[in-house]
Amino acid sequence: MVLTKLGPTVLDGLLSSKHHEILDLIDSLRSQGIDREVDLPQIIVCGDQSSGKSSVLEAISGVPFPVKSNLCTRFPTELVLRKTPQTGVKISIIPHHSRSKSESDSLTNFNETLDDIEHLPRLIEAAKTAMGIVTLGTAFSRDILRIEVSGPDRPALTIVDLPGLIHSENKNQTAEDVKLINEVVQSYMQESRTIILSVVSAKNDYANQIVLKLARQADPRGSRTMGVITKPDTLLPGSESESGYISLAKNEDIEFRLGWHVLRNADSEAVKWSLVQRDAEEAKFFSGGSWQRLPPTCLGIDNLRTRLSSALYYQIETELPSLVDDIKSKLMLYQEELLKLGNPRVTLDDQRYYLFQISQTFQNLAKAATDGTYNHEFFGDAMTAKGRTKRFRAVVQELGEGFARKIYDKGHSHGVLLKNESSYTLVDQAAHNLLRYKVVRLMARTRGRELPGMFNPMVVTDLFQEMCSPWEDIAVSHVKEVFNAARVFLTQVFDHICDKPSAQAIIGLIAEPKLDDILKHQREKTMALLKPHQQGHPITYHQLLLQRVQEIRQERDEDAISKVMARFYGSQWKTVGREYCSADPVTLYNELTKARKTADAKNDVASKALDYVRVYYEVRRTLKLQTMLTNPLDI
């Protein structure tokens, strides 16, 4: 294989002897696919479109990328450098999880081996075609192009080049492209073990470059971000813009803990430079001018490699304990999944036996949950949100109490009817008078053969139906809440007793259709329970009705008499001794008699009708609650 050799001047700056062992460990984890489960330390290169990212990546890695000014990165490119005895370059595509199975299979089959690194641009174009970029009307892709470069002179290192951030849509880049690129870049930035190289082009005002805003959002303290200024040769020497960028490079404006660095890019429009020519031109540029005011360690590619070496090493060293914890956590999770898979199920009998075991375990857990015996480990901690939802009887009981409260508190359209008249406020009195006036008008329009002082029973029907109108929404909502609690419980049970594919199959093919049938039945049952209240005539044989009507009238009479007594003997008349009772008995008698009379017969009849509505409502409400909540787990 003919492969451009990477000498010590190119990549050895990224490594020192003390780093090899720990970086090899991370590379070993990555080669085993651990990076799909936990975030591994890596370096990402990100910046606005045409900011010079690819030039930075090429200078760091020694691997050539297309850097012409009219080209841009169309997808995340993951460059994996591995130290192995054999030399090789492999190109592959990692499909995004949103791809269909057929698309994923097709992209996974894209595997190429290079015999010369100079052919990389050609393969990148082939990868774009495979991803459907441009040919399918797509300008960018979430798929990852993976480039693995291995050899004895390669360090264990991963660098990711991300698509350039777009400021606004145009004829070649839609609003969807802008959104997609932002999401891709932010997803990489937010990985807590990733070092962010925020590339800023000196050709534009850095305050207007999106990458800095996104970097601060993902890394508010700037603890894992390094700024890289490119194209400093485009600034006019001695200008205000040059002074501003020098101040930025000194970490005086936007502060990053890893600081800033300045690179002089290769001229993308000029003849292709070799790495040696590029480094020579860069050294020449920084040897004079205002950039000499910066520390030498902040200038040039050699120093950047050294800084990245230290930053990556300490990032790994810092994150290693939490990385080990994450791996252990994932390991335990997958061990549990393996246990759920059980023994191999090759034959039909094996599969039947597995389903039989699931059904037995399910019955035991379901019975324990409905009985309220929560001793099994499945139920977990009752004080956690997840543990609470597993205790199904407790959940249903709580929902039942909530339903009862709603019926009592919000189940009536005329709350003033349920209050004692002696406790009326001015607002209550006004509301009651308005309601009584409405009843007077209703009685006039529904009058039949009843004599004066009587009322048509249909008045009670109309008023009761209006009074209980909120019941339907409250009852239907309660049934839905219990149904949702049952669905959550069943999902957790099946997730606990079997593997995920089996759980999804059982829930989708058996549990969900059955739950839908139950919900439909319960809605029909609920409407059947509501129908007599919404459409039927008022009828009850409950002795409470007449008793409560008499009590209400007695309370009204007592209230009227109390007002007369207070007028004669003062508000404390009940505690006044007989020796102070000097009022004329005849006058008192006449006043008490008047108190029980009414000046308006129609209002009196209306009040009687409202008394019946109130008591009938209380009776029917009590019976409805008893019906709905007698056996709540049947709902």
Side-chain angles (χ1 to χ4, degrees):
M1 170 180 288
V2 178
L3 184 64
T4 304
K5 182 175 176 59
L6 301 180
T9 59
V10 179
L11 285 179
D12 283 358
L14 282 171
L15 292 171
S16 65
S17 58
K18 68 177 181 178
H19 298 169
H20 275 287
E21 184 176 351
I22 194 169
L23 291 179
D24 285 345
L25 172 62
I26 297 298
D27 183 54
S28 176
L29 291 174
R30 197 182 304 277
S31 66
Q32 298 297 320
I34 299 297
D35 57 324
R36 299 172 190 170
E37 305 297 333
V38 297
D39 297 338
L40 294 179
Q42 63 183 357
I43 299 171
I44 63 170
V45 183
C46 48
D48 289 19
Q49 201 171 82
S50 302
S51 61
K53 297 181 299 80
S54 296
S55 294
V56 173
L57 186 63
E58 178 175 340
I60 294 172
S61 67
V63 177
F65 287 87
V67 293
K68 291 184 179 180
S69 60
N70 63 335
L71 296 178
C72 60
T73 307
R74 301 288 181 172
F75 40 78
T77 302
E78 191 172 276
L79 178 62
V80 180
L81 305 174
R82 291 181 176 168
K83 188 169 185 176
T84 61
Q86 302 299 322
T87 299
V89 178
K90 295 180 181 178
I91 312 293
S92 60
I93 296 176
I94 302 175
H96 189 259
H97 61 77
S98 61
R99 291 281 193 177
S100 65
K101 186 178 185 305
S102 60
E103 291 174 332
S104 295
D105 292 342
S106 176
L107 292 174
T108 302
N109 289 332
F110 185 92
N111 282 284
E112 300 288 344
T113 301
L114 286 178
D115 59 359
D116 193 329
I117 198 69
E118 296 297 329
H119 294 162
L120 178 61
R122 176 181 56 81
L123 271 183
I124 290 179
E125 290 301 314
K128 287 169 60 177
T129 301
M131 294 178 192
I133 293 177
V134 179
T135 58
L136 296 180
T138 303
F140 298 90
S141 173
R142 294 177 182 267
D143 305 315
I144 299 173
L145 178 67
R146 186 180 179 91
I147 304 173
E148 300 180 41
V149 182
S150 57
D153 58 340
R154 314 285 156 167
L157 183 66
T158 296
I159 308 174
V160 180
D161 184 29
L162 299 176
L165 295 160
I166 308 172
H167 284 252
S168 60
E169 58 186 286
N170 55 42
K171 63 179 182 180
N172 297 318
Q173 297 163 162
T174 66
E176 283 299 314
D177 294 331
V178 176
K179 180 181 177 182
L180 184 149
I181 291 172
N182 278 343
E183 290 176 353
V184 169
V185 173
Q186 289 181 77
S187 67
Y188 274 88
M189 283 183 168
Q190 288 166 0
E191 295 178 6
S192 61
R193 298 186 179 101
T194 291
I195 293 177
I196 304 171
L197 286 192
S198 293
V199 180
V200 175
S201 171
K203 291 183 71 173
N204 303 308
D205 186 349
Y206 61 83
N208 297 327
Q209 299 190 42
I210 309 172
V211 66
L212 296 179
K213 175 183 176 182
L214 297 184
R216 294 314 296 260
Q217 289 176 351
D219 180 27
R221 294 182 298 177
S223 58
R224 53 185 179 85
T225 304
M226 179 183 293
V228 177
I229 299 171
T230 62
K231 308 180 182 179
D233 52 308
T234 61
L235 296 170
L236 186 64
S239 65
E240 187 175 330
S241 296
E242 185 185 57
S243 298
Y245 267 99
I246 290 175
S247 177
L248 182 68
K250 289 181 177 180
N251 220 14
E252 294 175 347
D253 189 350
I254 300 175
E255 185 177 351
F256 293 135
R257 188 179 66 82
L258 299 180
W260 285 82
H261 204 90
V262 187
L263 295 179
R264 200 283 195 200
N265 297 65
D267 189 345
S268 61
E269 301 299 333
V271 178
K272 178 68 176 178
W273 286 352
S274 67
L275 289 172
V276 174
Q277 289 174 317
R278 180 226 167 271
D279 292 352
E281 288 293 327
E282 182 179 67
K284 180 180 177 181
F285 176 77
F286 288 129
S287 64
S290 301
W291 297 100
Q292 286 187 309
R293 288 185 281 168
L294 293 173
T297 54
C298 296
L299 302 173
I301 190 61
D302 288 336
N303 290 321
L304 178 59
R305 294 191 194 107
T306 302
R307 293 180 68 183
L308 285 178
S309 173
S310 298
L312 182 60
Y313 174 78
Y314 287 115
Q315 180 75 353
I316 294 172
E317 188 177 52
T318 302
E319 295 290 337
L320 199 54
S322 63
L323 177 60
V324 172
D325 290 340
D326 285 354
I327 293 175
K328 286 181 178 179
S329 177
K330 288 287 184 179
L331 181 60
M332 291 178 62
L333 178 64
Y334 285 119
Q335 285 175 339
E336 291 176 2
E337 292 294 325
L338 284 174
L339 289 175
K340 290 179 184 178
L341 286 171
N343 297 323
R345 303 186 292 275
V346 179
T347 66
L348 188 59
D349 287 339
D350 291 338
Q351 296 167 6
R352 286 173 176 168
Y353 180 68
Y354 177 69
L355 291 175
F356 173 76
Q357 287 181 311
I358 289 176
S359 66
Q360 288 291 100
T361 306
F362 170 75
Q363 288 182 21
N364 293 335
L365 289 177
K367 187 177 187 304
T370 53
D371 288 347
T373 54
Y374 311 121
N375 300 324
H376 195 278
E377 62 177 9
F378 160 74
F379 296 103
D381 185 356
M383 300 309 294
T384 63
K386 193 171 184 179
R388 172 189 169 276
T389 57
K390 292 179 179 179
R391 290 161 165 75
F392 189 50
R393 173 168 284 277
V395 171
V396 174
Q397 295 281 38
E398 186 176 349
L399 290 174
E401 291 174 354
F403 170 68
R405 284 194 300 271
K406 288 179 182 177
I407 287 290
Y408 273 103
D409 297 340
K410 302 179 180 179
H412 40 265
S413 58
H414 300 297
V416 69
L417 267 187
L418 303 180
K419 294 184 178 182
N420 292 326
E421 292 184 24
S422 58
S423 64
Y424 275 2
T425 64
L426 291 177
V427 174
D428 293 333
Q429 187 64 57
H432 190 274
N433 291 340
L434 187 64
L435 181 59
R436 187 168 53 189
Y437 174 69
K438 177 180 178 180
V439 175
V440 170
R441 295 181 63 196
L442 183 61
M443 288 191 303
R445 297 188 180 191
T446 58
R447 189 171 181 178
R449 297 181 179 182
E450 63 273 11
L451 295 174
M454 302 175 64
F455 59 87
N456 190 328
M458 290 304 299
V459 171
V460 177
T461 300
D462 294 340
L463 291 174
F464 172 75
Q465 290 176 358
E466 182 179 344
M467 185 76 170
C468 70
S469 58
W471 284 9
E472 180 175 340
D473 288 342
I474 296 174
V476 171
S477 175
H478 174 62
V479 170
K480 183 64 175 178
E481 286 177 342
V482 176
F483 169 79
N484 289 335
R487 171 182 280 171
V488 170
F489 168 74
L490 289 176
T491 300
Q492 291 181 329
V493 170
F494 287 118
D495 284 344
H496 178 77
I497 64 179
C498 57
D499 60 277
K500 190 171 183 179
S502 297
Q504 290 176 340
I506 292 172
I507 292 171
L509 297 176
I510 300 175
E512 287 286 357
K514 184 62 177 177
L515 284 173
D516 290 340
D517 290 342
I518 292 174
L519 178 62
K520 181 180 178 182
H521 170 71
Q522 288 305 319
R523 281 177 172 167
E524 292 172 352
K525 185 176 180 180
T526 300
M527 298 311 297
L529 291 172
L530 288 168
K531 187 175 180 180
H533 306 297
Q534 295 173 324
Q535 300 178 9
H537 298 291
I539 184 170
T540 181
Y541 301 103
H542 204 294
Q543 294 180 352
L544 180 63
L545 180 70
L546 185 58
Q547 178 184 336
R548 285 291 295 130
V549 169
Q550 291 174 341
E551 288 175 355
I552 291 172
R553 290 178 179 175
Q554 183 177 345
E555 290 170 2
R556 187 179 293 118
D557 290 344
E558 290 175 352
D559 182 58
I561 291 172
S562 293
K563 290 177 180 178
V564 173
M565 296 298 290
R567 210 164 56 242
F568 271 77
Y569 301 112
S571 59
Q572 304 298 323
W573 64 271
K574 291 184 179 180
T575 60
V576 174
R578 292 184 179 180
E579 62 273 16
Y580 297 102
C581 297
S582 58
D584 177 21
V586 176
T587 304
L588 177 60
Y589 173 80
N590 291 333
E591 290 296 323
L592 291 176
T593 303
K594 291 178 183 178
R596 301 193 61 181
K597 295 180 180 179
T598 177
D600 191 334
K602 292 182 179 180
N603 278 334
D604 184 53
V605 176
S607 293
K608 291 178 180 179
L610 288 174
D611 291 342
Y612 273 97
V613 172
R614 171 183 176 177
V615 176
Y616 186 70
Y617 174 84
E618 290 175 346
V619 171
R620 302 311 299 175
R621 177 179 64 182
T622 301
L623 293 176
K624 175 174 175 57
L625 283 170
Q626 291 173 348
T627 303
M628 289 289 290
L629 300 177
T630 297
N631 197 355
L633 293 182
D634 287 342
I635 296 177

